[in-house]
Every structure is written in C-alpha cells, then in structure tokens.
C-alpha cells in the first residue's frame, strides 16, 4: 500500500471509530426511552419485572393507552398543557423580542445596567421567588387559573439575552436600508430583526415550550382544581393512585413526551447556522 493510500485510510478509520462511539452513546441514551415504550406496550398478564429484563414485549397490547383516555381525564390535561405552553411561547416571542431590540440597537442612558440586571435574574432560583409570586397571584385574583401559569412565563431573562445577542449579529446596513424605505423603529424590528433572528426565535420557542410543558412545581403550588391540572400533575395522579399500574404510568409518560418530540423534529430544519440570510432574502 502506498504512503498516500495509508494516509487516506487513517482518517476513514478514525471517522468509523468516531461514528461507532457516537452510535453507542446514542443507544445508551435511548435505552430508558425504549424501556418506557416497551413497558407501556406489555400486556396485562405479562410480568414487567422479569430478570433479566425483557426489552421487547412478549404480548404487545395498547390496553394501557386506551385506559389513559377512558379511565382518566388525560385529554383534559393535554388540553390545559397545550393552552398554557402555546400562550407562554407566543408571549415570550413577543415580549422578549420587544425588550431585546432596544438593548441591542438603541442608545440610552443605563442600557448596560438594565442588561446586567436582566442577566442577573437568571441566577435567581425559582424557589426564591415562588412565595412572592404566589402572593401576587392571590392578590390579583389569578390563583387557581391557567393565567397564573402563563403570566410568570410571559417573558424570560434568558429569552431577552438570547435575542439581544441575535439582534447584535444583524448587519446595520439592513436597518439603514429599511429606514431609507420609510420604516419606523417598530417596522425595522418587525421587517428586519424578526426575520433575521428566526433561528434564535425558534430555539427560544422550543426552550419555553419544553420548560412550560414539563413544569411540575409551580402548577402544583398554584392549582387546586383538578379540572385545571396540566399533564405533569395528571401523571402524578396516576403514580399516586391506590392501585399503581406501571403500564399506565409508562403510557402516560410516552404520551407526554410525544408532543415535545414532534415539535423538535418539525422545527429543527428551521434552525439555520446563518439566520441573517433570511433578512437579506426578504
């Protein structure tokens, strides 16, 4: 074998080893999810605690999924979670982008201090502000309502900082061209900044959706009415029932994961490495 052929084979061998390691790590990370799906599909007569554990169900059955919707108000929990998550995402995209634009482009006294205070709030754990937030919701009459879940998530410091950094990367020439065409500052924000920051807006939407969809502590504190329970609280009801059926709990967990998985698969193609090209094309 010539020296050049050996030189070409070494990178290919290294790439093959790297791919094998990545596949092994991906398989190890997928094993809990596969075990969850397998448990949810096992029939009522099948032992789910066999040793060694059986990954594939011997008697596949969808009975657990049927019981989720016939014996439990899972559809109601899904609806509540969908409403809260969707409104939280829309509010974040609007308010965070409106707050990030002046912090990125406008010059005003105290801009650095405002940005520092916004970023500093990221370091504050939610447990610190939970009691004041609870008292506030009681005083304004929103306790035990879905609005009490939406308003605290309407704007996040992470979202403001993320979009501010995204807006800083937009070429100033785009704004100047929009200004020449007669755009107001609000028009520049809508016609230039929003299209240019599409990738970061989608990233923020995914973070907010996942965080709101899976939130358990705040709904547990602020809600008393079972008709307003979100999906995490509903799944907790399944796990704390007198007769615990792990097939039912596993099926509920799979149902709760599916919307997040579908959202990620559907939106990942819109996350581009160079988002400013969208504004140039527009």
């Amino acid at each position: 074998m010539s020296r050049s052929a050996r030189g070409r084979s070494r990178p290919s061998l290294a790439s093959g080893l790297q791919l094998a390691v990545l596949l092994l790590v991906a398989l190890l990370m997928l094993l809990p999810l596969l075990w969850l799906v397998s448990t949810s599909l096992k029939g009522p007569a099948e032992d789910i605690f066999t040793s060694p554990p059986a990954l594939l169900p011997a008697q596949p059955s969808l009975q657990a999924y049927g019981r989720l919707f016939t014996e439990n108000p899972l559809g109601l929990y899904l609806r509540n979670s969908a409403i809260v998550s969707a409104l939280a995402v829309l509010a974040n995209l609007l308010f965070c982008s409106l707050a990030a634009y002046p912090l990125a482009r406008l010059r005003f006294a105290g801009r650095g201090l405002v940005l520092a205070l916004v970023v500093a709030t990221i370091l504050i754990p939610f447990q610190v502000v939970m009691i004041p937030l609870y008292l506030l919701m009681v005083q304004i009459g929103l306790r035990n309502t879905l609005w009490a879940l939406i308003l605290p998530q309407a704007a996040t410091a992470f979202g403001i900082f993320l979009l501010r950094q995204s807006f800083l990367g937009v070429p100033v020439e785009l704004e100047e061209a929009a200004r020449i065409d007669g755009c107001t500052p609000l028009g520049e924000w809508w016609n230039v900044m929003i299209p240019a920051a599409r990738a970061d807006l989608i990233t923020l939407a995914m973070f907010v959706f996942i965080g709101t969809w899976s939130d358990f502590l705040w709904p547990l504190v602020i809600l008393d009415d079972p008709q307003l329970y979100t999906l995490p609280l509903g799944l907790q009801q399944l796990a704390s029932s007198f007769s615990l059926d792990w097939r039912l709990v596993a099926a509920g967990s799979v149902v709760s994961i599916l919307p997040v998985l579908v959202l990620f698969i559907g939106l990942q193609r819109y996350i581009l490495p160079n988002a400013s090209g969208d504004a140039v094309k527009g």
Side-chain angles (χ1 to χ4, degrees):
M1 181 182 295
S2 65
R3 183 176 301 177
S4 60
R6 288 197 299 269
R8 288 193 300 269
S9 64
R10 288 174 183 172
S12 62
L13 179 61
S15 300
L17 290 175
Q18 184 180 16
L19 180 60
V21 171
L22 290 176
L23 288 175
L24 179 61
V25 172
L27 180 61
L28 291 175
M29 296 184 68
L30 284 175
L31 273 177
L33 180 59
L34 295 176
W35 175 258
L36 190 69
V37 175
S38 174
T39 302
S40 68
L41 292 175
K42 289 181 178 179
E46 189 173 353
D47 187 7
I48 62 176
F49 298 110
T50 59
S51 181
L55 186 60
L56 296 177
Q59 302 173 359
S61 173
L62 295 175
Q63 183 182 18
Y65 291 94
R67 290 176 56 198
L68 273 179
F69 293 92
T70 56
E71 301 177 7
N72 302 274
L74 194 74
L76 179 64
Y77 302 150
L78 283 170
R79 187 198 67 181
N80 292 338
S81 289
I83 292 173
V84 172
S85 300
L87 291 180
V89 167
L90 292 176
N92 259 268
L93 296 181
L94 176 62
F95 296 131
C96 289
S97 61
L98 284 173
Y101 179 58
L103 291 175
R105 284 294 196 251
L106 303 185
R107 299 287 183 264
F108 57 90
R111 186 181 70 160
L113 177 61
V114 172
L115 178 62
L117 291 175
V118 169
V119 174
T121 60
I122 301 178
L123 305 177
I124 302 176
F126 175 74
Q127 289 79 1
V128 174
V129 299
M130 183 173 62
I131 294 178
L133 187 60
Y134 176 84
L135 296 176
L136 176 62
M137 292 298 146
V138 171
Q139 291 176 359
I140 62 179
L142 292 181
R143 180 184 174 276
N144 208 30
T145 65
L146 292 182
W147 286 109
L149 305 181
I150 298 168
L151 290 182
Q153 300 288 340
T156 59
F158 169 76
I160 295 173
F161 180 75
L162 175 67
L163 296 182
R164 186 252 182 187
Q165 297 302 111
S166 179
F167 291 162
L168 285 176
V170 179
V172 179
E173 291 78 10
L174 293 176
E175 289 181 277
E176 294 175 350
R179 200 172 300 122
I180 293 173
D181 291 338
C183 277
T184 61
L186 190 60
E188 295 172 18
W189 163 79
W190 178 254
N191 295 301
V192 177
M193 292 298 183
I194 294 301
R198 184 179 69 169
D200 292 295
L201 287 168
I202 293 175
T203 301
L204 176 60
M206 292 177 62
F207 271 97
V208 173
F209 182 88
I210 293 173
T212 308
W213 184 268
S214 60
D215 188 18
F216 175 78
L217 179 60
W218 180 238
L220 179 66
V221 170
I222 203 67
L223 296 179
D224 289 336
D225 186 359
Q227 297 297 315
L228 298 175
Y229 279 2
T230 55
L231 196 54
L233 289 182
L235 295 180
Q236 188 266 343
Q237 295 293 108
L238 295 178
S240 62
S241 59
F242 180 75
S243 178
L244 180 58
D245 188 345
W246 286 110
R247 297 174 184 81
L248 203 61
V249 175
S253 301
V254 171
V255 171
S256 69
I257 293 171
L258 283 178
V260 177
L261 189 62
V262 171
L263 179 72
F264 177 77
I265 294 175
L267 294 182
Q268 65 173 344
R269 66 189 182 95
Y270 294 105
I271 301 178
L272 305 176
N274 185 14
S276 61
D278 296 332
V280 175
K281 294 176 183 178

